[in-house]
Amino acid sequence: DFEASFIRLIDKVTNGSRIEINQTGTTLYYQPGLLYGGSLEHDCSPSRGIGYYLESLLCLAPFMKHPLKIVLRGVTNDQVDPSVDVLKATALPLLKKFGIDGESLEIKINRRGMPPKGGGEILFSCPVKKVLQPVQFTDPGKIKRIRGTAYSVRVSPQMANRMVESARGILNKFLPDIYIHTDHMKGVSSGKSPGFGICLTAETINGTILSAELASNPQGQGTAVLPEELGQNCAKLLLEEVYR
């Protein structure tokens, strides 16, 4: 279902694509059309995160005929795909290096949605850029600061604070400049399922951004995770990423 949803999304942003799927759903004939863009909306399948759809849009968006402005609905943070927070923190600065910038390049999280039911909503907009700047980007540089977001939806707001404290407990040994803000969404903007998670990014003096993230198990699946463990494990994942 999520692949079918992805094909429908590609069909929306293009003009003149031909798509044929056989009856058993085992072969796909796809003839690409023109990248058209414009203002669109799409409901993503809740079995995969919005990140799954957003990754390909990030690659295609600068080359559309009209600036892309799309609202995607579904799961914003899960354990499978890169979350919207991570793509916002890592992919957008990377696009800026290639000369794609301006106020209209943004990913805005209107609502968070956790699996299994989702209910999140984001707005992604990107200007048109016909030519990219060439980039020489080989030296990652040394880490200068760590930023992050701890979010909680339909659970106690205290969960986010507990994750922040445990993550800082590990990261403060290495670096003083750490800022992890908490994001507790209420009411309509908290989606349909409870959950919490944390996303950390480390930035270097050359503007390289490394990221790590973890989310709690979906409601009714697996064992319950303590926010302290989640925070610690995410901090360790980030250190692992820096080590590599």
Side-chain angles (χ1 to χ4, degrees):
D1 57 341
F2 61 88
E3 287 168 344
S5 176
F6 177 71
I7 291 168
R8 280 196 292 277
L9 172 65
I10 295 297
D11 194 33
K12 277 180 193 172
V13 298
T14 57
N15 188 0
S17 295
R18 267 186 65 199
I19 299 166
E20 291 165 21
I21 303 173
N22 72 343
Q23 283 164 336
T24 52
T26 49
T27 61
L28 164 73
Y29 170 80
Y30 176 64
Q31 190 175 0
L34 296 168
L35 291 169
Y36 192 74
S39 285
L40 302 162
E41 290 187 6
H42 183 67
D43 292 329
C44 305
S45 157
S47 50
R48 290 291 287 265
I50 291 179
Y52 169 79
Y53 303 87
L54 200 54
E55 277 181 317
S56 45
L57 284 181
L58 283 162
C59 305
L60 298 172
F63 309 105
M64 301 276 175
K65 190 171 179 192
H66 300 285
L68 181 67
K69 198 168 185 184
I70 185 163
V71 173
L72 297 172
R73 297 190 187 89
V75 173
T76 52
N77 306 78
D78 68 355
Q79 295 173 322
V80 188
D81 299 292
S83 69
V84 181
D85 300 271
V86 159
L87 289 175
K88 183 177 178 174
T90 56
L92 293 190
L94 196 60
L95 288 180
K96 283 178 184 160
K97 284 201 190 316
F98 286 99
I100 303 160
D101 53 5
E103 287 174 10
S104 53
L105 175 67
E106 69 161 348
I107 295 176
K108 192 170 167 219
I109 303 171
N110 298 331
R111 299 175 186 168
R112 281 190 189 279
M114 299 290 286
K117 294 194 182 122
E121 178 183 292
I122 68 143
L123 170 75
F124 169 54
S125 58
C126 181
V128 174
K129 197 83 179 176
K130 290 285 181 272
V131 184
L132 298 185
Q133 290 172 1
V135 172
Q136 273 196 342
F137 196 41
T138 50
D139 174 28
K142 289 197 158 60
I143 306 287
K144 66 173 177 180
R145 60 173 169 211
I146 292 175
R147 295 287 178 265
T149 307
Y151 56 87
S152 55
V153 292
R154 297 195 173 275
V155 293
S156 153
Q158 206 49 44
M159 294 287 197
N161 300 339
R162 285 161 65 182
M163 282 185 289
V164 172
E165 269 177 46
S166 60
R168 290 193 71 122
I170 290 180
L171 299 172
N172 272 344
K173 295 174 191 168
F174 305 101
L175 205 68
D177 186 358
I178 298 175
Y179 187 73
I180 307 171
H181 70 262
T182 55
D183 179 12
H184 179 68
M185 293 213 166
K186 297 191 185 91
V188 187
S189 53
S190 64
K192 297 173 183 168
S193 295
F196 54 89
I198 184 167
C199 134
L200 298 172
T201 53
E203 196 180 327
T204 70
I205 45 180
N206 292 354
T208 312
I209 295 178
L210 307 169
S211 70
E213 61 169 331
L214 279 177
S216 59
N217 290 329
Q219 188 181 13
Q221 295 171 30
T223 51
V225 196
L226 281 173
E228 284 82 2
E229 283 176 18
L230 206 73
Q232 280 178 356
N233 291 343
C234 191
K236 287 174 185 168
L237 277 176
L238 185 68
L239 295 176
E240 174 80 17
E241 198 70 34
V242 173
Y243 172 70
R244 291 195 193 140

